[in-house]
Amino acid sequence: MSRILVPFVRVLRGVQLLSLALLLASCGSTPSAPPSISLNDGKVEVSGLPSDTLRALEALSDDQWPDVFAVAVSSDAPGMLGAYRVDGSIVRFTPAFPLDAGRQYAVRFNAGTLPGAAGGPALTAMVGRPAERTEPTTEVLRIYPTGGAVPENVLRMYIEFSAPMGRKSGVEYLTLLDHNGKEIPGAVLPLDYEFWSPDHRRFTVFFDPGRVKDGILPNREMGRAFTPGKTVTLVVNRDWRDEHGLPLKAEHRRSFEVLPADTRPLSPADWRITPPPARGRMPLVVTFPTPLDQSLLMRALGVRQNGKVVEGETTLGAGETQWSFTPREPWTAGTYQFLALDILEDIAGNQVGRAFEVDNFDSVDKDPDPKQVLLPFQVK
């Protein structure tokens, strides 16, 4: 073979070997991994999807996404709120609120619901963050009202916890028992909305107003849940999870004596104001004839002097029938005003000048700015 042909043959053999290697690699390559669901840095991700599925997902509107990709607290619960994004070969869901540690979430991805899809089985998985603690420490601190009795038309209660709770609604963890220890069905309003305080330490329990309000259909068919002269017990189930996904330290029970319905509007004329002496910081004390709503007591009352708000601290006592105000600076002799907004309610929903048992809901004042009730008192 001539010296000219030898280099050419070597180059040709190199090209043939490279082509053969590429052919063998393409024929004998390992198939791509099947689609999978995982949790990464608090975000739920689906990977391993074919390119045509990814393109179809990119075309989805915000309201179409939950039909294809849903993350929920259980397999039969609605999907939670969040943001969806196709990031290269990854489909990512970022929940609107962080997932609770120690809790498992149900994930469902169904490409068969995409427009023009041929169908097929859905991809499901359970994902969750590990628990940050292992021993339960969260407990119920108190239940409002703190007094031992409630009227049969009580509208709501508040449950306070020692630490932040998870974001799931607590209705399923509450049971109302009658004086014989039997469950009272349909007492708590079964709403999906989460009635939590911003710090997730207080949950509002709403009793069905359809049963509370006299004369409307649920009330006529089922009657009120509470019976005057008897006792009722609110049970907080230990399985209710805190922010770490752990159950409560213990079950909590609170019993109340049931009084006849309170259908009277609040009357400021019935409130007793006990003024403090001047040149000191003794509290102003206002006493009410019946328990008022704890939450509204803390934000619908105040003190003014010469048109200016007096700064200070508020405390409640005597089962929410007493409101005390301690000023930041010593009282000075003169005229003050005790201020109450007309949104103030008792525990049966009666407001200032208006009973909950109004004949027609349309007659309720819809003015977004609450009116002020001003009661003067003298500091001497």
Side-chain angles (χ1 to χ4, degrees):
M1 186 178 296
S2 67
R3 295 179 178 177
I4 297 176
L5 289 176
V6 169
F8 176 76
V9 172
R10 289 176 179 172
V11 171
L12 180 61
R13 286 178 178 175
V15 173
Q16 290 173 334
L17 290 173
L18 178 61
S19 300
L20 179 60
L22 293 174
L23 178 62
L24 291 174
S26 63
C27 294
S29 61
T30 302
S32 59
S36 62
I37 296 172
S38 61
L39 183 64
N40 185 17
D41 194 24
K43 303 173 180 62
V44 182
E45 298 180 345
V46 181
S47 57
L49 298 172
S51 57
D52 57 341
T53 300
L54 294 171
R55 287 193 297 271
L57 290 169
E58 288 178 332
L60 291 180
S61 62
D62 291 342
D63 58 347
Q64 290 176 310
W65 269 104
D67 293 331
V68 180
F69 189 5
V71 181
V73 295
S74 63
S75 58
D76 58 350
M80 61 181 60
L81 298 176
Y84 297 90
R85 180 183 179 186
V86 178
D87 189 0
S89 62
I90 301 293
V91 182
R92 184 175 292 114
F93 171 76
T94 303
F97 303 101
L99 301 181
D100 296 331
R103 169 174 289 168
Q104 291 292 302
Y105 293 83
V107 184
R108 180 180 178 85
F109 182 85
N110 189 2
T113 60
L114 287 169
L123 183 65
T124 61
M126 300 295 294
V127 300
R129 296 167 49 204
E132 298 175 5
R133 297 196 320 257
T134 58
E135 291 296 326
T137 59
T138 304
E139 56 188 345
V140 175
L141 288 181
R142 63 186 61 86
I143 294 177
Y144 291 100
T146 58
V150 295
E152 63 173 305
N153 59 339
V154 60
L155 197 58
R156 56 183 169 263
M157 295 180 179
Y158 302 107
I159 304 175
E160 284 195 355
F161 298 91
S162 62
M165 297 291 288
R167 298 189 176 274
K168 188 177 181 181
S169 175
V171 172
E172 67 180 272
Y173 302 106
L174 301 174
T175 306
L176 201 65
L177 304 178
D178 65 13
H179 61 286
N180 291 318
K182 296 179 60 177
E183 182 176 356
I184 304 174
V188 178
L189 193 62
L191 294 181
D192 291 332
Y193 188 85
E194 297 181 350
F195 294 107
W196 286 107
S197 61
D199 62 1
H200 267 237
R201 289 174 179 259
R202 188 181 69 184
F203 185 80
T204 303
V205 182
F206 282 97
F207 298 109
D208 190 345
R211 294 186 63 178
V212 171
K213 183 172 169 55
D214 195 18
I216 61 177
L217 184 60
N219 177 272
R220 293 199 304 267
E221 292 183 343
M222 303 177 66
R224 287 177 174 145
F226 296 2
T227 304
K230 305 294 184 179
T231 60
V232 65
T233 301
L234 180 64
V235 181
V236 182
N237 194 301
R238 183 178 182 272
D239 291 336
W240 201 343
R241 304 281 165 160
D242 66 11
E243 66 174 347
H244 301 289
L246 296 175
L248 296 176
K249 189 175 181 179
E251 176 186 88
H252 187 90
R253 291 178 175 238
R254 177 75 194 286
S255 296
F256 301 88
E257 177 189 357
V258 180
L259 304 177
D262 185 353
T263 59
R264 299 167 299 175
L266 300 184
S267 174
D270 297 332
W271 302 347
R272 186 174 76 251
I273 300 177
T274 305
R279 296 177 296 279
R281 297 181 63 246
M282 293 288 290
L284 165 74
V285 178
V286 182
T287 305
F288 310 98
T290 58
L292 301 188
D293 181 275
Q294 181 267 344
S295 177
L296 291 172
L297 275 172
M298 299 300 293
R299 55 191 176 92
L301 302 179
V303 178
R304 295 199 324 189
Q305 185 185 39
N306 299 324
K308 295 182 180 180
V309 174
V310 179
E311 300 292 339
E313 295 183 357
T314 297
T315 58
L316 305 180
E320 294 75 63
T321 63
Q322 194 174 83
W323 182 87
S324 299
F325 176 82
T326 302
R328 184 176 300 172
E329 302 294 334
W331 297 100
T332 58
T335 300
Y336 290 79
Q337 292 174 318
F338 171 62
L339 180 152
L341 301 179
D342 67 349
I343 60 171
L344 184 67
E345 296 181 2
D346 62 19
I347 58 177
N350 302 306
Q351 295 184 342
V352 176
R354 183 173 61 233
F356 181 71
E357 290 287 344
V358 291
D359 293 336
N360 191 331
F361 282 115
D362 291 337
S363 67
V364 175
D365 185 2
K366 295 181 174 60
D367 187 349
D369 297 321
K371 297 179 176 60
Q372 298 179 355
V373 176
L374 298 173
L375 302 178
F377 64 94
Q378 296 291 323
V379 173
K380 301 178 182 180

